[in-house]
Amino acid sequence: MVDSSGKRQVPLYNIIWIETVNGSLVIDYAAQSSKTCIKLEKWTFAPAKGKASPSSAQAGEFAARVLEQAYGDAQIRKRAYVLINPHAGPGGALRKWSIEVKPLFDAARMELDVVTLKRGGEATNLAEQVDIDKYDTIVACSGDGTAHEIFNGLAKRPDAARALAKIAVSHIPCGSGNAMSCNLYGSNRPSFAALAIIKGITTSLDLVSITQGNSRFLSFLSQSLGIVAESDLGTEHLRWMGGSRFEVGVLMRIFRRRCYPCDVAVKVEVGDKSDIKAHYKRHTNDARAKQPSLDATTGQNGRMGLPQLKYGTVQDQLPEDWELVQYDKIGNFYCGNMAYMAPDANFFSAAMASDGCMDLVTVNGDLSPITATKLLYSVESGKFFDNTHVKYKKISAYRIIPKNQKDGFISIDGERIPFEPFQAEIHQGLGRVISKRGTFEAAGPRNWDKVTLADRMNA
């Protein structure tokens, strides 16, 4: 990092460690070697000799002050339980960990316990048994599937609420979509995510209870039925393509004009797009809005399981204040907790970390291929939210009942579940993650900061 005058400049955010060694000041910092990679570099220099030279105590005090400013609200020397999935996405997680991530974590003097996963579901078991007082974060070095397992492992514990509020989940992107990293760190590159975890702060995250049959589990990212679910789960054989396999799957189904008839019952919180922008603005302007403390989520004795379900399960009678709609031509039912579902795929631009709402998108499946394709590409351009073919709502719960189809794909955080009715209910701020700045890195709906009362009244 050299400016036009030839001087080396290191932003505070990039300073990982600074200390005095044998009278010299040594700085470990993250240098961006390319658009896709950050590498560790070291800067060592001795203070000038003479009467004005600082004492070792002064140099040490200076290093301590710089380190404090470099970390700000972030915890120094985080304790991390790292779970590496070597089979995530196109592979290569072990190489990315050893070359791009571990050197940065080591420079930050983080305490690391590292496990290489050998089978599916192992991360769930490890999270269920982890000593939550020993670590500050569980790092999923993988795709989004391992993060899903970690949340659900913590949810299985008898002290689930305390565990979910005590230990933060973080993500080193090594999968195909890497949505969690995109939302929390603004990047799907392992080294950028590593620096964001080092300098990041613990942030509350809404989690969703899914009930199906007699089962209950958690979702942190998304739930889908229709084109998105089929394009994700139906293209597992194309994992070698990385994130491109999803785009190929969507285009194939668009040209078939696939529809997925279902009944959908929804508890709507904000139903109008202008009101949603106002909701986003209100919560954005109050960064601490509804951020529950650890004590608020764990109860008096600190040992409490998952929160009780406010609306019961999918097997119970529908609440009277839910809207029940029969969809015969729905092409995509997509509900998200986070904005990005993959790099450049901001489907839920109004999503927030802990506003107590899921963001629901529905699109008809009988659109012409040209219209549907333009709609798809409007996601990347940031115009998807305002598209007239997109129905967008903020909701707190829903039930979906597939019809006229015996078998199909339902995706929860990218994981397949049986093609049967299921119900979802949000729990505000139940989980914890490490984010770069305490919020999602998505920009929000277009012109959300300019919405006025007149806009809402004229909508």
Side-chain angles (χ1 to χ4, degrees), residues 331-373:
N332 193 31
F333 175 96
Y334 207 4
C335 196
N337 304 41
M338 294 185 171
Y340 286 101
M341 294 295 108
D344 300 321
N346 186 349
F347 276 96
F348 306 102
S349 54
M352 307 192 76
S354 58
D355 67 345
C357 293
M358 296 173 274
D359 289 35
L360 174 62
V361 166
T362 54
V363 179
N364 284 343
D366 60 348
L367 300 177
S368 72
I370 293 177
T371 300
T373 301

Side-chain angles (χ1 to χ4, degrees), residues 16-17 28-30 37-41 71 78 80-84 92-116 139 141 171-174 189-198:
I16 297 176
W17 201 259
D28 290 321
Y29 66 96
C37 189
I38 289 174
K39 290 186 177 181
L40 179 67
E41 291 193 3
Y71 276 80
K78 294 181 176 75
Y81 190 33
V82 183
L83 307 183
I84 305 174
L94 285 169
R95 178 184 57 80
K96 293 172 183 176
W97 161 255
S98 62
I99 295 176
E100 298 186 48
V101 179
K102 190 175 184 296
L104 297 174
F105 280 5
D106 286 341
R109 276 60 171 178
M110 289 175 62
E111 297 179 28
L112 305 174
D113 284 337
V114 183
V115 176
T116 300
V139 183
C141 192
H171 183 215
I172 296 296
C174 299
R189 305 295 182 180
S191 57
F192 285 81
L195 180 59
I197 291 170
I198 292 169

Side-chain angles (χ1 to χ4, degrees), residues 207-268:
L207 298 176
V208 176
S209 276
I210 305 294
T211 62
Q212 186 179 59
N214 296 318
S215 299
R216 178 186 180 183
F217 55 95
L218 294 182
S219 168
F220 80 98
L221 179 61
S222 66
Q223 311 94 48
S224 63
L225 181 152
I227 288 177
V228 168
E230 288 205 1
S231 301
D232 182 10
L233 300 174
T235 58
E236 289 287 327
H237 60 293
L238 300 177
R239 276 190 174 271
W240 57 270
M241 296 180 65
S244 299
R245 69 183 177 92
F246 176 81
E247 210 169 309
V248 171
V250 169
L251 290 173
M252 289 172 59
R253 285 154 181 82
I254 280 177
F255 281 92
R256 296 175 187 169
R257 297 195 184 191
R258 291 293 303 273
C259 294
Y260 306 84
C262 59
D263 292 341
V264 181
V266 177
K267 173 63 174 173
V268 178

